[in-house]
Amino acid sequence: MTPDWLAQVHFDEQGLIPAIAQDAHTGAILMVAWMNSEALAETVATNRAVYWSRSRQRLWRKGEESGHTQNLKEIRLDCDGDVILLRVEQLGGIACHTGRESCFYQRLESDEQGQPYWKSVDPVLKDPSSIYK
């Protein structure tokens, strides 16, 4: 039987819901990932972020390889019940597989001719090759 709180979550046709990870201290948006009901239930049970990896088709326990885990401080559901917000403590200060604090490190800028382009504006804190094997 599905717990009442989980039954109120509206997963999409693939059984997924987008999950936004936000630094509980600074408010910075760290990443967006996907959760299925199993990932969400495990996150709540363990107070550590667990996602659904669409590329690997399996649960992804954030930091299982890198050590950069996310400790859950608060969880919220949006007004439509179809987006999760995780307020987390990001251990190691790195959420992105590129070795940056946040996955949102590219900002849209304009060149001299007014043409838009993406510019990387946040530093790599740790070489990804030293994080992932």
Side-chain angles (χ1 to χ4, degrees), residues 57-123:
Q57 292 291 296
R58 67 171 180 83
L59 289 179
W60 161 39
R61 291 163 183 90
K62 180 68 174 150
E64 64 191 359
E65 191 175 334
S66 68
H68 300 137
T69 59
Q70 294 174 341
N71 291 336
L72 185 64
K73 297 300 181 183
E74 181 180 53
I75 188 166
R76 293 186 180 211
L77 182 64
D78 82 324
C79 58
D80 294 323
D82 61 1
V83 177
I84 294 289
L85 174 65
L86 303 175
R87 301 208 54 208
V88 300
E89 173 190 20
Q90 178 65 59
L91 298 184
I94 296 172
C96 186
H97 74 280
T98 66
R100 292 175 173 89
E101 173 190 21
S102 168
C103 293
F104 296 94
Y105 61 87
Q106 297 181 89
R107 181 173 61 210
L108 191 63
E109 304 227 340
S110 296
D111 65 17
E112 296 80 25
Q113 292 78 38
Q115 296 300 310
Y117 70 97
W118 293 107
K119 180 178 180 181
S120 295
V121 294
D122 295 339

Side-chain angles (χ1 to χ4, degrees), residues 21-77:
Q22 179 183 39
D23 186 293
H25 179 69
T26 67
I29 301 300
L30 302 173
M31 55 180 276
V32 175
W34 295 91
M35 298 177 111
N36 62 9
S37 61
E38 185 181 0
L40 183 53
E42 186 175 324
T43 295
V44 169
T46 64
N47 284 319
R48 288 187 54 190
V50 178
Y51 302 104
W52 176 256
S53 171
R54 294 180 301 166
S55 61
R56 292 174 263 183
Q57 292 291 296
R58 67 171 180 83
L59 289 179
W60 161 39
R61 291 163 183 90
K62 180 68 174 150
E64 64 191 359
E65 191 175 334
S66 68
H68 300 137
T69 59
Q70 294 174 341
N71 291 336
L72 185 64
K73 297 300 181 183
E74 181 180 53
I75 188 166
R76 293 186 180 211
L77 182 64

